[in-house]
Amino acid sequence: MNRSTATLFLLALAFLICEGGNPCCSEPCQNRGICTALGSDGYECDCTRTGYYGQNCTTPEFLTWIKVSLKPTPSTVHYLLTHFKGFWNIINSISFLRDAIMRYVLISRSHLIDSPPTFNADYGYKSWEAYSNLSYYTRALPPVPQDCPTPMGVVGKKELPDPKVLAEKLLMRRKFIPDPQGTSLMFAFFAQHFTHQFFKTDFKKGPAFTQAKGHGVDLSHIYGDDLERQHKLRLFKDGKLRYQIRDGEVYPPTVKDVDIEMHYPPHVPESHRFAVGHEAFGLVPGLMMYATIWLREHNRVCDVLKEVHPDWDDERLFQTTRLILIGETIKIVIEDYVQHLSGYHFKLKFDPELLFNQKFQYQNRIASEFNTLYHWHPLMPDSFRIEETDYSYKQFVFNTSVVTEHGINNLVESFTKQIAGRVAGGRNVPGAIVYVSIKSIEHSREMRYQSLNAYRKRFSMKPYSSFEDLTGEKEMAAILEELYGHVDAVELYPGLLVEKPRTNGIFGETMVEMGAPFSLKGLMGNPICSPEYWKPSTFGGSVGFDIVNTASLQKLVCNNVQGPCPVASFHVPDINDTGSTVINSSTSQSQRGDINPTVILKERTEL
């Protein structure tokens, strides 16, 4: 029995099981067809513009058949892009070829994201509320209907496994597994810092809601997410942000000085309660390091603009500098951050003009699934090595004195040298923060996410046929089978973390193929990338435009530290040189009692 025949058989069987209930629970509509129940004993599949037709949208149109027949699998594309370095060096040196490939990457990825948005946690069908209510995260797939036979629709067990059992058996670290791609802690903390301008779940309302005012790169984590907070952080002179000088260097002001809310426990002294755009960034020194660097960069760019435009007032200097920093951020994310995690030999390029003649919408909504898949807690080591000091979680959390005692130079150098953990493959979440993974599972269930395989189909990947196909080994596969009963019942978040990693990769296939479309659509859908904004005048002329177009992580650091500039990289300089690479190999169990989860639960749930 081939795969398509087996799929139709299962659909028919599932429909029989569902008889008398919601027939859409069996996900009868394939290839992004939309199911509408017709009472309790019938359904209709809307195949409009899917490229398929038939009762279940399974018969391809002729052009679709050709396209699908010729299209390489994601694993084939990944193999080609991560091998044949000499070939890609030639491609990278030929501008029109590099531009053509980059344009294809942007379009093919971005078109997988619905724009305008379609669903949210409370509306599994198109509605004005799902479109217009910005307090919701949007959804890539509608929630599993509440009247289904099982939590995942019609397959799997009647009850999902205990989240604590799941975490302890499959997610919690036994021994630190370093990332084979050589990812550094500079990457890990950048991921935390960057994403929390748009991942700000409002847990008072529930995990389906966001507190973020914007749904993209707006640098609210630097400037605050409302005007009142922004104004308290501003100096109102020469466009600059408020700051303090310690040991001759610029650091954020204190909470006492600016009177804004920050999340610090009582034991943190007032002198170390730094105030920045995001209220939770006092949590770990890595976040405050980046907050300090961007504060310095903002004020530096203000000085550059002031010299070119001495007649500009404070407001124009501030607003233009913010646009420049947004541009710098997107440039660094695409050409340094995404470049590293992709592992591609093809050099990614930030050039908004590549899309100017394409059908592309300059708007974005953050999806809750994007928020969930970004819970990369396995990146964190068991302890943090800065210069000659090892900090446990208890010593590291809410300890901003680490930033001033070591200085930005030493933090950058130390975090560049220390390797992060592998995300995929299971059993690599530090014991000290495994409860955050448990909360992630619980929140996913509140939002009734569809299965990992459902999301694989949604993002043009072949669903896993067995538990061993998913994990690439036997032991965890057997545990998954015992807990879930059927591979189509494996939940999204646990599935992403136990999925077999790509060869020498930090992630599995699903994480990359799902995450990349959300990421690139959010970055290129930013207003500054539109034809009306992407011109020198938006950024204060050629000087400001040049700052954006030449931005890099290394340049950002070098422009904002005193003395010799340390190497700043998302990749450990030499993973084979243990003299310059910190690999933490202690067991996580020794760290489990280091911190009180109730103190930092709110901050860590998303970080």
Side-chain angles (χ1 to χ4, degrees):
M1 184 182 295
N2 61 34
R3 177 78 190 182
S4 59
T5 304
T7 299
L8 291 173
F9 174 76
L10 287 173
L11 288 173
L13 180 63
F15 180 75
L16 291 174
I17 295 172
C18 247
E19 193 172 3
N22 185 339
C24 290
C25 289
S26 62
E27 299 176 31
C29 305
Q30 302 298 295
N31 301 303
R32 299 187 67 178
I34 298 174
C35 180
T36 301
L38 303 175
S40 60
D41 57 357
Y43 66 90
E44 178 180 80
C45 288
D46 185 349
C47 309
T48 305
R49 287 183 291 278
T50 64
Y52 292 83
Y53 62 95
Q55 183 180 359
N56 294 323
C57 308
T58 53
T59 305
E61 297 170 358
F62 180 67
L63 291 178
T64 301
W65 178 81
I66 294 176
K67 180 180 176 181
V68 171
S69 299
L70 297 177
K71 185 178 180 181
T73 65
S75 58
T76 300
V77 173
H78 180 78
Y79 180 85
L80 293 173
L81 288 167
T82 55
H83 291 74
F84 314 109
K85 186 175 182 179
F87 169 78
W88 289 112
N89 286 342
I90 295 172
I91 296 295
N92 293 331
S93 67
I94 303 174
S95 295
F96 79 91
L97 287 178
R98 184 186 178 198
D99 288 352
I101 294 172
M102 190 66 207
R103 185 181 296 110
Y104 173 77
V105 169
L106 293 173
I107 293 170
S108 62
R109 296 290 196 184
S110 298
H111 283 184
L112 287 170
I113 303 302
D114 292 329
S115 185
T118 47
F119 313 109
N120 63 32
D122 290 325
Y123 291 88
Y125 49 88
K126 291 185 179 71
S127 67
W128 191 254
E129 183 71 8
Y131 162 74
S132 64
N133 192 336
L134 299 181
S135 66
Y136 280 95
Y137 289 115
T138 189
R139 291 284 286 266
L141 283 177
V144 176
Q146 290 183 320
D147 53 353
C148 292
T150 72
M152 289 292 110
V154 297
V155 296
K157 300 186 177 183
K158 298 288 186 181
E159 298 287 338
L160 290 170
D162 186 320
K164 292 181 180 178
V165 173
L166 252 179
E168 290 176 3
K169 288 189 174 184
L170 296 169
L171 305 185
M172 190 170 71
R173 180 176 293 161
R174 272 64 169 165
K175 185 177 181 179
F176 178 73
I177 305 171
D179 168 40
Q181 270 183 235
T183 299
S184 72
L185 287 192
M186 280 294 285
F187 176 94
F189 289 125
F190 188 94
Q192 287 183 308
H193 187 269
F194 165 72
T195 58
H196 282 76
Q197 60 193 299
F198 44 78
F199 293 155
K200 291 191 70 175
T201 300
D202 187 346
F203 290 109
K204 291 181 180 178
K205 291 184 178 179
F209 295 88
T210 177
Q211 293 176 310
K213 301 299 189 293
H215 279 257
V217 181
D218 59 3
L219 304 197
S220 57
H221 61 326
I222 297 173
Y223 302 109
D225 57 9
D226 59 48
L227 204 56
E228 180 183 5
R229 190 177 183 92
Q230 179 199 115
H231 283 178
K232 289 182 176 181
L233 289 169
R234 285 175 61 178
L235 187 62
F236 286 105
K237 181 181 179 182
D238 296 334
K240 294 185 176 182
L241 295 172
R242 297 182 69 174
Y243 61 94
Q244 61 172 312
I245 302 293
R246 293 197 182 189
D247 298 323
E249 295 200 70
V250 169
Y251 289 98
T254 64
V255 172
K256 184 179 180 181
D257 290 337
V258 299
D259 188 30
I260 62 172
E261 180 186 359
M262 291 290 293
H263 298 166
Y264 288 105
H267 72 269
V268 178
E270 284 188 353
S271 61
H272 286 101
R273 297 187 181 196
F274 292 149
V276 295
H278 195 296
E279 62 273 15
F281 277 3
L283 179 66
V284 288
L287 295 173
M288 195 56 71
M289 173 194 70
Y290 274 114
T292 302
I293 290 172
W294 281 112
L295 163 65
R296 294 177 182 181
E297 176 67 0
H298 175 94
N299 288 351
R300 185 192 74 84
V301 172
C302 284
D303 286 335
V304 172
L305 290 179
K306 179 72 173 177
E307 186 173 344
V308 178
H309 303 286
D311 56 321
W312 278 13
D313 61 12
D314 168 78
E315 189 66 21
R316 187 165 187 180
L317 288 168
F318 172 83
Q319 297 295 348
T320 304
T321 296
R322 182 171 184 167
L323 291 175
I324 290 172
L325 263 65
I326 289 173
E328 286 188 83
T329 297
I330 297 175
K331 170 89 166 177
I332 290 169
V333 170
I334 289 178
E335 295 193 3
D336 287 337
Y337 179 86
V338 177
Q339 180 73 60
H340 168 72
L341 66 83
S342 72
Y344 294 167
H345 292 310
F346 171 70
K347 293 298 182 184
L348 302 177
K349 182 180 182 181
F350 173 50
D351 183 0
E353 293 186 18
L354 294 174
L355 296 176
F356 284 180
N357 294 322
Q358 307 297 318
K359 295 179 180 179
F360 191 80
Q361 295 188 4
Y362 293 95
Q363 59 176 324
N364 188 58
R365 281 282 291 278
I366 297 297
S368 59
E369 296 99 337
F370 188 35
N371 180 17
T372 296
L373 73 80
Y374 234 108
H375 286 44
W376 294 346
H377 302 111
L379 287 172
M380 290 293 104
D382 291 322
S383 64
F384 303 86
R385 181 80 167 175
I386 304 174
E387 294 187 275
E388 301 304 315
T389 305
D390 254 339
Y391 290 92
S392 67
Y393 277 80
K394 184 177 182 180
Q395 295 167 324
F396 199 67
V397 170
F398 289 118
N399 187 1
T400 56
S401 66
V402 169
V403 180
T404 52
E405 287 175 9
H406 291 279
I408 300 300
N409 299 54
N410 288 321
L411 288 179
V412 169
E413 183 177 21
S414 297
F415 292 149
T416 294
K417 286 182 178 180
Q418 186 166 0
I419 196 166
R422 189 183 70 190
V423 175
R427 295 176 174 168
N428 208 23
V429 177
I433 53 175
V434 74
Y435 64 89
V436 185
S437 294
I438 294 171
K439 278 294 178 184
S440 298
I441 296 170
E442 293 173 350
H443 292 154
S444 297
R445 292 176 182 181
E446 283 185 52
M447 293 185 287
R448 306 197 313 280
Y449 282 155
Q450 294 189 36
S451 68
L452 176 76
N453 265 347
Y455 282 100
R456 284 182 62 80
K457 289 189 286 185
R458 166 63 177 80
F459 285 89
S460 304
M461 290 172 278
K462 182 180 178 182
Y464 287 120
S465 58
S466 68
F467 292 102
E468 285 189 32
D469 187 25
L470 165 59
T471 64
E473 52 81 82
K474 296 182 181 296
E475 183 192 354
M476 287 191 294
I479 295 172
L480 281 170
E481 185 166 15
E482 177 189 352
L483 294 174
Y484 286 104
H486 195 288
V487 69
D488 285 342
V490 175
E491 298 169 89
L492 175 65
Y493 176 68
L496 289 168
L497 292 193
V498 302
E499 181 180 34
K500 59 181 180 285
R502 280 174 158 165
T503 303
N504 296 320
I506 186 172
F507 300 123
E509 180 181 72
T510 313
M511 184 77 80
V512 175
E513 298 303 317
M514 241 184 106
F518 285 126
S519 179
L520 291 176
K521 176 63 173 70
L523 293 167
M524 300 307 296
N526 192 282
I528 74 156
C529 298
S530 67
E532 284 303 311
Y533 274 69
W534 189 251
K535 53 187 69 174
S537 57
T538 300
F539 306 97
S542 59
V543 171
F545 205 33
D546 184 63
I547 292 174
V548 173
N549 283 312
T550 60
S552 69
L553 177 68
Q554 185 68 68
K555 191 171 183 179
L556 174 67
V557 170
C558 289
N559 282 336
N560 294 290
V561 296
Q562 294 182 1
C565 183
V567 173
S569 176
F570 293 140
H571 186 276
V572 172
D574 187 352
I575 193 171
N576 296 314
D577 181 3
T578 55
S580 65
T581 304
V582 179
I583 300 180
N584 191 318
S585 60
S586 62
T587 57
S588 64
Q589 280 82 348
S590 63
Q591 301 289 338
R592 293 189 69 186
D594 278 349
I595 51 179
N596 179 0
T598 59
V599 174
I600 64 170
L601 177 58
K602 182 177 180 182
E603 288 81 1
R604 288 302 309 200
T605 300
E606 290 188 331
L607 294 185

